[in-house]
Amino acid sequence: MDNCVFCKIIDGSIPSKKVYEDDKMLAFYDIEPAAPVHVVMIPKAHIKSADELDEQSSLYVAHIFSKAGEIARSVGIKNGYRIVNNCGADGGQTVFHMHFHLLGGKTLGKMG
Ligand code: AMP
Ligand code: ZN
């Protein structure tokens, strides 16, 4: 998708610090970390937001969650983590290619 930062990260035209990649997803370090360890996990398909998901595209979400623990351990997260999806403008989404934040490396406080 033209002008999508995350599609450009997937095609390599914008650099990223990759931590995991396969045919369906990519995970890389967030440039503005909100926790000691902050990885962004994205599908290799331009799905605008979680609000757009259907039965078929939800398979990307299942795949991302199935890899999250392995990715967390590979970046040194030990005692749990938080996965966050910001959905839509009021949900705090700023990049409109669906993604999941993987946050860890400290005891995270209450959400809210
Ligand atoms: P959200 O606000 O949920 O849409 O999250 C977008 C996230 O993408 C933010 O945490 C940004 O810091 C991160 N981000 C934006 N551009 C890049 C980039 N080029 N490389 C890594 N992370 C990025
Ligand atoms: Zn995209």
Side-chain angles (χ1 to χ4, degrees):
M1 183 71 157
D2 292 349
N3 289 323
C4 170
V5 174
F6 288 175
C7 283
K8 288 180 178 170
I9 286 178
I10 291 166
D11 74 19
S13 57
I14 292 179
S16 67
K17 282 180 70 182
K18 291 179 190 175
V19 298
Y20 178 80
E21 180 168 21
D22 63 27
D23 58 326
K24 298 186 222 28
M25 70 172 286
L26 178 64
F28 52 90
Y29 285 109
D30 197 292
I31 36 163
E32 279 186 70
V37 185
H38 185 170
V39 168
V40 183
M41 304 182 292
I42 66 174
K44 284 190 172 176
H46 185 81
I47 299 159
K48 271 188 252 163
S49 82
D51 191 54
E52 241 192 27
L53 288 167
D54 58 21
E55 204 70 31
Q56 193 59 33
S57 54
S58 294
L59 295 173
Y60 283 100
V61 180
H63 181 70
I64 288 169
F65 272 74
S66 78
K67 296 293 175 187
E70 177 188 322
I71 293 169
R73 283 181 282 285
S74 78
V75 294
I77 293 175
K78 286 184 171 46
N79 295 312
Y81 47 86
R82 178 174 291 160
I83 295 177
V84 173
N85 170 251
N86 295 327
C87 181
D90 278 0
Q93 187 174 3
T94 59
V95 176
F96 285 83
H97 178 129
M98 182 186 69
H99 52 279
F100 296 89
H101 300 266
L102 176 65
L103 303 159
K106 70 169 186 180
T107 302
L108 299 164
K110 269 183 77 173
M111 293 205 313

